[in-house]
Amino acid sequence: MSSTAVADFGLIGLAVMGQNLILNINDHGFKVCAYNRTVSKVDDFLANEAKGTQVIGAHSIEDFVAKLKRPRKIMMLVKAGDAVDKFIETLLPHLEEGDIIIDGGNSHYPDTQRRYEYLTSKKILFVGCGVSGGEEGARYGPSLMPGGNPEAWPHLKPIFQAIAARAPDGAACCDWVGEGGAGHFVYHIFRDGVGFTDDEQGDIFAQWNKGVLDSFLIEISTDILRFKDTDGQPLLEKIRDAAGQ
Ligand code: NAP
């Protein structure tokens, strides 16, 4: 290993989410190396928000990769879409078997599945990780939902569970959720696989909201599934499956 490989974790993307997550990881005693497409933002970050911390920066992908301990753990918090694929291609020639790439952005699950298969063929461990809690969560404790190649989890678990939010009983709001983007599948399976109507799905969510899954999102899902348009038909079916940033 190179003597310059000093960082426990690498993070690409110095917009608000990336900056806050880096500071959170740093607070928990891990050394983070920061990188960004617009390289001047690395120096700005180190001179301002990250001043006085253990955070280090890189000015090129080569420099960034060289500063990471193996297996490298590299998280991207960049704009969902092309930027993720571009960074994967940029990183690939510099990585070694068993290195880990984590996409922490709001990627659509089929993209995560495609990247997972592609990177598995390159012997790179890919993880798609839902990050919930917005900017404040990223800084002081997000809910993290990592899924992808299970071989990556033992390497990520100490860091992810340290920085995640805590439940009242002290449990970390982070655990391995399985392969691919499991959560997005639920609606499709219920509707197209099992053939439940929106009202029937609403009843299931209402039931879940009385048990261990009790949460705000489950509660509003119940209401959304049951909501009728002015013609008496379920409104959800009429809403286009598309969203901007
Ligand atoms: P963002 O505005 O979504 O993305 C900005 C970052 O992406 C910058 O580092 C930017 O680099 C980079 N980027 C954009 N286009 C690029 C391209 N074509 N090639 C390479 N890099 C590119 O940042 P964010 O709000 O911090 O969110 C990061 C991710 O987390 C997104 O996927 C977002 O959907 C998700 N997320 C956000 C929140 C939130 O509350 N903001 C919450 C949960 C999840 P430059 O500086 O060079 O432009």
Side-chain angles (χ1 to χ4, degrees):
M1 188 184 291
S2 153
S3 58
T4 57
V6 290
D8 304 300
F9 200 82
L11 200 140
I12 297 175
L14 290 179
V16 63
M17 290 297 285
Q19 291 198 11
N20 281 350
L21 205 73
I22 289 173
L23 296 175
N24 184 0
I25 299 170
N26 174 79
D27 284 351
H28 288 86
F30 301 100
K31 196 174 181 77
V32 188
C33 183
Y35 183 66
N36 194 66
R37 173 183 63 169
T38 307
V39 176
S40 58
K41 290 187 185 170
V42 175
D43 294 326
D44 288 347
F45 178 56
L46 295 179
N48 294 290
E49 293 84 354
K51 194 172 179 185
T53 69
Q54 296 297 307
V55 178
I56 57 172
H59 291 112
S60 68
I61 279 286
E62 292 84 350
D63 183 26
F64 175 69
V65 167
K67 284 178 171 158
L68 302 177
K69 293 183 201 164
R70 294 212 59 213
R72 299 181 180 90
K73 294 165 273 296
I74 299 170
M75 187 160 188
M76 292 180 289
L77 269 163
V78 297
K79 200 171 173 184
D82 286 349
V84 176
D85 290 305
K86 276 192 192 141
F87 265 119
I88 287 174
E89 288 307 323
T90 310
L91 282 165
L92 262 179
H94 307 284
L95 299 184
E96 291 165 271
E97 188 174 335
D99 285 346
I100 300 164
I101 299 180
I102 308 134
D103 174 16
N106 284 347
S107 294
H108 191 33
Y109 77 82
D111 290 333
T112 304
Q113 183 66 28
R114 169 176 57 76
R115 290 168 187 143
Y116 165 74
E117 285 165 15
Y118 174 61
L119 287 168
T120 300
S121 77
K122 305 275 182 194
K123 300 195 176 354
I124 300 298
L125 310 181
F126 185 65
V127 171
C129 183
V131 179
S132 179
E135 301 169 22
E136 194 77 1
R139 180 66 186 86
Y140 298 109
S143 167
L144 296 171
M145 292 148 271
N149 194 316
E151 285 176 43
W153 183 229
H155 301 287
L156 301 179
K157 189 175 173 180
I159 301 175
F160 277 27
Q161 292 198 336
I163 65 165
R166 301 262 149 209
D169 67 358
C173 296
C174 168
D175 215 334
W176 187 251
V177 297
E179 297 201 14
H184 297 102
F185 279 120
V186 172
Y187 181 75
H188 279 284
I189 291 170
F190 274 2
R191 190 190 58 181
D192 302 332
V194 188
F196 286 143
T197 65
D198 285 16
D199 274 339
E200 286 166 335
Q201 292 184 57
D203 292 343
I204 292 167
F205 274 77
Q207 184 108 25
W208 284 358
N209 206 37
K210 290 182 190 141
V212 291
L213 293 176
D214 175 10
S215 71
F216 174 66
L217 288 180
I218 294 282
E219 183 187 332
I220 63 170
S221 298
T222 309
D223 297 338
I224 291 164
L225 284 157
R226 287 176 172 167
F227 198 87
K228 301 287 188 293
D229 200 358
T230 46
D231 61 4
Q233 296 302 308
L235 181 66
L236 187 63
E237 289 296 323
K238 300 181 181 179
I239 298 174
R240 199 152 62 93
D241 185 15
Q245 282 281 307

